[in-house]
Amino acid sequence: MSSTDPVPRTDPAARPTGVSTPAGRLRAGARPPAVLLIPAAVAAAFALLPLGYLAVRSLERGPAFAWDVIANERTAQLLARSLTLAAVVVTACLLLGISLAWLTVRTALPGARAWSVLVTLPLAVPSYVAAFAWLSAFPDLVGFSGAALALTLVSFPYVYLPVTAVLRGADPAQEEVSRSLGHGPLKTFLRVTLPQVRPAAAGGSVLVALYVFSDFGAVSLMRYDTFTRGIYTSYRASFDRTPAAALSVVLVVMTVLLVAAEARTRGRAGHARTGAGTARPAVPAPLGRWRTPALAWCTAVTAVAVLTPLGTLGYWLAVGNSATWDPAGLLDTAGTTLAVAASGAALTTLLALPVGVIAARHHGRTAHLLEQSAYAGHALPGITVALSLVFFAVRYAEPLYQELPLLVCAYAVLFLPVAVGATRAAVLQSPPVLEEVARSLGRSPLRVLREVTVPLAAPGVAAGAALTFVVCMKELPATLLLRPTGMDTLATRLWTETGTGSFAAAAPYAAALILLAAVPSYLLGRHRT
Amino acid sequence: MRRPSVRRLTALFAAALLIPAVAGCGVDEDDAGLVIYSGRNEKLVKPLLDELEKAVGTTVAVRYGESAELAAQIQEEGAKTKAGLFFSQDAGALGALSTKGLLEKLPQESLDKVDPAFRGGAGDWVGTSGRVRVLAYNPGQVTKVPDSVHDLVKPEWKGKIGYVPTNASFQAFVTGMRVLEGDDAARAWLGGLKANEPKVYDNNLKVLEGVGKGEVSLGLVNHYYWYEQVAEKGEAKVKSKIHFLPGGDPGALVNVAGVGLVKGGSQTPAAQKAVDFLLSEKAQKYFADDTKEYPLAAGVTSTVKNLPPLASLDAPKIDLGKLESLQETLKMLQDAGMV
């Protein structure tokens, strides 16, 4: 044990005696240990692959050509549209995600466990299915409002899940103190709970914003032109990769700016226990006369976000005559989907762990750079990420090309930030003092990570893994290009069936997708105590 | 409670990472004699491609995707492409690969089976089936169907037209109009159409339904949607009718799905056999009967009831390879506020 630093590195100025502490600052400046740094650098390099590709493609015909594409009036216009849409969707997701998380975790809401599973289900609905569902019910809902509605309803769990994880792990003592001082539930929520969940909510918001930037399905059906739709159209209209690549670079710049801005506002947020003791479950807040409105709120959200797509599936089955039951095929496809999505989630979570821990525990340029790298490609449309992997694989990893490992890698590149965000929020919330104690007892950084950091952050990391699992399951554009020839996932089947308008035949695949996504939701819902 | 959950998680991860290794054993395309990248939907062409496998006498593996995305993938793969044959939904994607020099020249006897109007100028791709732009109309509302899309900008059709501005076939038709009549004429026509406040639909089928229900009187669609509806519902239940435009009108554009041999795919002999199969009477009849498209190979006529023979149509003369770039069309549609 002589290789480890026997003296705990502490910063006396950052050790207040209060119940709430800006945990993120405790270890400011401390260099991440190699055991974190090296895997994090690997993950970052991985996530930066699409950027390398974009550099090659966008400069293929010289910087002047690329600049012509970028410095176009329409580029600015599309950018503004994407930003506006993202702002509205993020706001709505914060409202839905935080309110539902608080109601299901911290209050005596009847059926809280069931609600907590139900409200994560919309995540399993591909954005184009949601958009389709709404359009078939309300054909005039096209344009901005339709796109905003569909995107909000499929992405609010990005906020809900990490916030729930934080609320479950948070020390209820602070809230109890607040209550004992005579503050009502609302005031306690605003002044104690909300600051606690801020990092998780902010991380979720970034994911939602990046999801909105990268979405093609919903905006395309809703005919609302965004930046990503411009990129897709560029591929489809000119079969030319250079303009699409140049436009994608703008998305990357936008992403980096967004992530940097979020890191700045995050600042000193992050709350963890500094005192002794282990977490204990919070005593649910009584809802009193708010019981009915709270139930109504949960019912309304579930009805709108879950029942609409399910209702549409039922409608497809009822009216369509393309319905063909192929249980063996469905089972087979579901099995494949589970396997690739689980592998994708596992790889992504493993890669995200070191990045998330560094982002939570270390400040400074290296930490920022690593985190930003992990996010850099997340706003890119799936087709761009897929083409970049085609580019690298045929050159440097040909045996893997169109084989499962490459598809799993694609999922990791696409969804790394989903897992990083969840890990970071979870680590931020666990008290760094325990890690310091472990280190002072001579534990190596790896053992500290394994025995202290990860166990403390486990619920949050698990939430991230579940989230990644679900988004891998419904991924379409990269799966189409990179899957082994002949392999099908539920998402690709759904694409095939809806491509010929066989909605009834598509319904079982869509239903299976939602059903499978319910499994991680259910497991997370059970992980309450 | 926490420690076991971590251990369980670790075990889950380990298991999950092992799954693809195990599952991967079952997937092996290397022994496939021919790999087809198909931009045509699996539901439409799988039965045909199963027949094709028997005809070429080697194993055939098919990757289904979107035509444009698959074209981009083939460009990215370059000389190391896995594709032997590219089966495209439209002529544009084939034209793009041809321009980039990624397609192999086809044997003359294969090309000669199809009218020169429906194959690539460089002899490196050939159309396999055709689709015609038509006007759908509601007979209860329209007594005299217009004979040209140019009539649609007249005030009498205000609010009575349904179309799908995002549909690739509609955009190909506008591109065709640009090629035939020039950009200014096309822009003016789009402006006129927009001023007539046409109703926007999601897809061609919805346009047909809209016409049938009388939501609009006229619709701009591809011909086979109507024949498919008739086949599914019976002619009595289909309330719309379709009109083939005469006089080489741009609204009567014939676009094709087609195939090209991909360079570097090293599957040339098998791919050539596949092309010949797709142009054979059996395959051409399949397109006519099952996908309700037009057979393109000489000597094969459609058996679909009421489908006029291709030769009888007065389609505009146009080099389909020129439909490759939709960029300017798209810009026009955007400027007109249509997409």
Side-chain angles (χ1 to χ4, degrees), chain A residues 35-109:
Chain A
V35 66
L36 286 176
L37 204 54
I38 294 168
V42 170
F46 209 60
L48 288 176
L49 280 183
L51 269 64
Y53 165 79
L54 289 179
V56 173
R57 280 287 162 256
S58 57
L59 294 175
E60 207 169 21
R61 275 180 249 163
F65 181 88
W67 181 247
D68 271 358
V69 174
I70 294 170
N72 189 306
E73 196 191 327
R74 185 157 174 81
T75 308
Q77 205 180 53
L78 288 178
L79 208 53
R81 291 168 78 101
S82 275
L83 284 169
T84 316
L85 184 64
V88 169
V89 173
V90 165
T91 310
C93 286
L94 281 174
L95 181 72
L96 289 175
I98 297 178
S99 65
L100 291 168
W102 184 71
L103 283 173
T104 52
V105 176
R106 281 297 171 85
T107 69
L109 183 76

Side-chain angles (χ1 to χ4, degrees), chain A residues 53 57 74 132 135 140 169 220-221 223 225 229 232-241 243 273 279 321-322 324 339 342-343 345-347 349-350 383 387 390-391 394-395 398 401-404 408 450-451 454-456 458-459 461-462 465 479-486 488 493 495-497 499-503 505 527 529, chain B residues 1-3 5-6 8-9 12-14 16-21 23-24 27-30 35-38 40-44 61-73 75-78 80 82 90 92-94 96 100 165-166 171 199-203 205-206 228 232-233 323-327 330-331 334 338-339:
Chain A
Y53 165 79
R57 280 287 162 256
R74 185 157 174 81
F132 203 96
L135 274 180
D140 291 330
S220 161
L221 276 171
R223 292 198 298 283
D225 238 347
R229 196 166 172 228
Y232 263 90
T233 312
S234 186
Y235 280 118
R236 287 189 180 171
S238 65
F239 308 101
D240 188 354
R241 297 155 300 162
R273 280 187 313 278
N321 32 13
S322 60
T324 43
S343 313
L347 180 65
T349 308
L350 282 178
I383 173 77
L387 287 175
V390 170
F391 176 90
V394 294
R395 277 169 183 74
E398 216 193 334
Y401 183 52
Q402 292 181 0
E403 296 292 343
L404 275 171
V408 173
R450 212 179 56 213
E451 294 175 2
V454 172
L456 283 176
V461 174
T479 309
L480 278 179
L481 291 199
L482 296 172
R483 62 188 165 149
T485 301
D488 262 320
R493 284 312 314 173
W495 165 82
T496 304
E497 303 293 351
T500 50
S502 315
F503 296 115
H527 192 65
T529 47
Chain B
M1 194 59 213
R2 278 198 165 144
R3 292 298 303 277
S5 80
V6 172
R8 222 165 33 220
L9 261 180
L12 259 176
F13 280 174
L17 280 174
L18 280 175
I19 291 170
V27 185
D28 188 12
E29 84 214 32
D30 290 339
V35 179
I36 300 177
Y37 283 16
S38 172
R40 305 217 60 187
N41 191 291
E42 183 173 355
K43 301 264 287 181
L44 291 180
V62 190
R63 285 187 79 74
Y64 293 96
E66 301 273 357
S67 294
E69 274 94 328
L70 288 173
Q73 185 168 18
Q75 290 181 57
E76 219 50 89
E77 292 172 344
K80 291 188 176 170
K82 299 216 172 194
D90 57 62
L94 287 163
K100 295 262 160 49
T166 49
Q171 294 175 0
K199 191 164 160 51
V200 174
Y201 287 88
D202 281 344
N203 56 49
L205 269 177
K206 292 250 177 85
E228 257 171 34
E232 186 157 331
K233 293 183 173 176
L323 299 181
E324 170 205 336
S325 177
L326 291 171
Q327 201 75 310
L330 221 75
K331 197 166 172 311
Q334 284 161 353
M338 287 173 154
V339 291

